[in-house]
Amino acid sequence: MDQNLLVATGIKVTYAKHAGLFGSKPSTPVLHGVDIRIGKGQTVGIVGESGSGKTTLGRALLRLVDVSAGKIAFDGRNITHIPETEMRPLRRRMQMIFQDPMASLNPRHTIRRILTGPLLLHGLAGDAATALEQVKSVLDRVSLPAACVERYPHELSGGQRQRIGIARAVLMQPDFVLADEIVSGLDVSTQAQALKLLKGLSRELGLAMAFISHDLSVIRAVCDYVYVMRLGKVVEEGPCEQVFASPSAAYTRALLDAIPLPEYDPGWLERRTET
Ligand SMILES: Nc1ncnc2c1ncn2[C@@H]1O[C@H](COP(=O)(O)OP(=O)(O)O)[C@@H](O)[C@H]1O
Ligand SMILES: [Mg+2]
């Protein structure tokens, strides 16, 4: 079994609502005690219907929302309540790739600035020339031409922007990457290319990843282990093949039945990216 990287136990999250008419603040519990373990270098899937709490769980793991109960440990360290100043050096090691890279890439900055800025900020490159070398090398790895650095985000296609988002995360040399519904907006073959790229990178770099998706066919294309969420709880978990071959929860069976592919096709990802 892989060594633990990120372990969350008994996670509860409650969103505070805005003050009501009489100043009361009713709140909505969204996660009801979730346990999740991500090993070093492991790719874990988190699947469930919209509203089941996947994004909230992902944000809780990265300490982007407060938990009302439970514990989060990253690389052996309890980070549940450490102050933001102590989180900051860890943030480089825990990266996030967004569903809509357009929303997370500054439209007024060139790709050069978007990608070299964080390298200089985190001291991963000593000067602009070194940073640019690192950027070009990663752009090559994600199959984007080096000339991309002079472009602005809106000048790239959706699939290219997704690769910029992946490059930006990978450049930080993280241990963990959270990918929340990152391929949802892309057509199927662009999805497959992005997934294949991430899977390759995670192997090469020993990256651990959490893949959030409402789509089981995405999860089973890339994940080793899967958590199935429903209404803020984990209803089933296990190695992917096991869960897909014999789901024990009725809910997982219903999700599986909803997959458009009639049968599990292990070659799906490979064939989709042949062209
Ligand atoms: N900022 C927020 N404030 C209040 N409720 C929220 C907030 N974000 C999400 N929720 C609610 O929490 C529940 C889980 O949402 P979310 O974690 O986004 O689920 P998923 O990613 O699985 O679709 C939903 O009922 C949603 O309406
Ligand atoms: Mg979500």
Side-chain angles (χ1 to χ4, degrees):
M1 200 164 192
D2 347 279
Q3 271 184 292
N4 289 338
L5 180 65
L6 194 48
V7 182
T9 39
I11 297 298
K12 294 187 182 178
V13 171
T14 296
Y15 286 114
K17 282 190 185 152
H18 293 299
L21 188 57
F22 302 105
S24 62
K25 287 193 178 178
S27 53
T28 324
V30 169
L31 296 183
H32 311 278
V34 172
D35 298 335
I36 179 167
R37 190 195 82 87
I38 300 165
K40 288 185 176 164
Q42 192 185 30
T43 302
V44 163
I46 302 170
V47 72
E49 286 170 296
S50 176
S52 55
K54 306 179 299 294
T55 294
T56 302
L57 176 61
R59 295 178 64 82
L61 293 176
L62 298 188
R63 281 283 318 273
L64 298 171
V65 293
D66 287 332
V67 301
S68 54
K71 179 183 163 187
I72 304 160
F74 179 70
D75 207 8
R77 176 165 178 211
N78 184 347
I79 62 162
T80 322
H81 298 295
I82 64 172
E84 188 52 35
T85 48
E86 285 179 49
M87 266 313 286
R88 209 164 293 146
L90 297 179
R91 295 230 173 265
R92 178 192 64 76
R93 300 176 58 193
M94 311 165 90
Q95 289 292 313
M96 190 165 175
I97 302 173
F98 297 87
Q99 172 177 6
D100 176 9
M102 199 56 193
S104 67
L105 303 176
N106 189 325
R108 281 191 288 272
H109 290 178
T110 59
I111 299 304
R112 175 203 297 265
R113 182 156 172 202
I114 288 169
L115 294 182
T116 57
L119 283 173
L120 295 164
L121 187 72
H122 287 280
L124 292 168
D127 55 61
T130 315
L132 188 59
E133 282 314 303
Q134 292 181 19
V135 165
K136 286 184 173 169
S137 144
V138 168
L139 285 177
D140 184 53
R141 178 59 190 87
V142 302
S143 305
L144 285 174
C148 257
V149 294
E150 306 311 335
R151 301 257 170 277
Y152 288 87
H154 73 267
E155 297 179 298
L156 304 176
S157 71
Q160 287 174 327
R161 279 197 294 267
Q162 193 54 272
R163 282 158 193 269
I164 296 291
I166 292 170
R168 182 170 59 174
V170 165
L171 275 164
M172 292 296 100
Q173 302 168 27
D175 302 296
F176 174 66
V177 170
L178 174 72
D180 189 350
E181 305 275 8
I182 57 158
V183 293
S184 302
L186 305 170
D187 65 72
V188 174
S189 89
T190 313
Q191 275 190 17
Q193 284 171 12
L195 295 175
K196 191 177 178 186
L197 175 62
L198 267 175
K199 197 174 167 120
L201 284 167
S202 82
R203 283 210 195 98
E204 283 165 40
L205 307 172
L207 266 180
M209 293 200 293
F211 249 96
I212 293 178
S213 182
H214 64 278
D215 183 346
L216 272 168
S217 57
V218 166
I219 297 284
R220 68 183 174 188
V222 287
C223 297
D224 312 316
Y225 198 90
V226 63
Y227 291 86
V228 182
M229 287 189 68
R230 176 166 195 251
L231 300 174
K233 288 183 183 155
V234 171
V235 293
E236 175 156 14
E237 67 170 277
C240 263
E241 322 87 82
Q242 189 183 309
V243 169
F244 289 118
S246 55
S248 57
Y251 179 70
T252 313
R253 282 197 293 275
L255 281 180
L256 277 167
D257 286 344
I259 292 187
L261 303 170
E263 279 165 42
Y264 177 36
D265 172 2
W268 173 79
L269 188 57
E270 299 305 317
R271 268 195 301 285
R272 278 288 175 186
T273 51
E274 264 165 20
T275 47

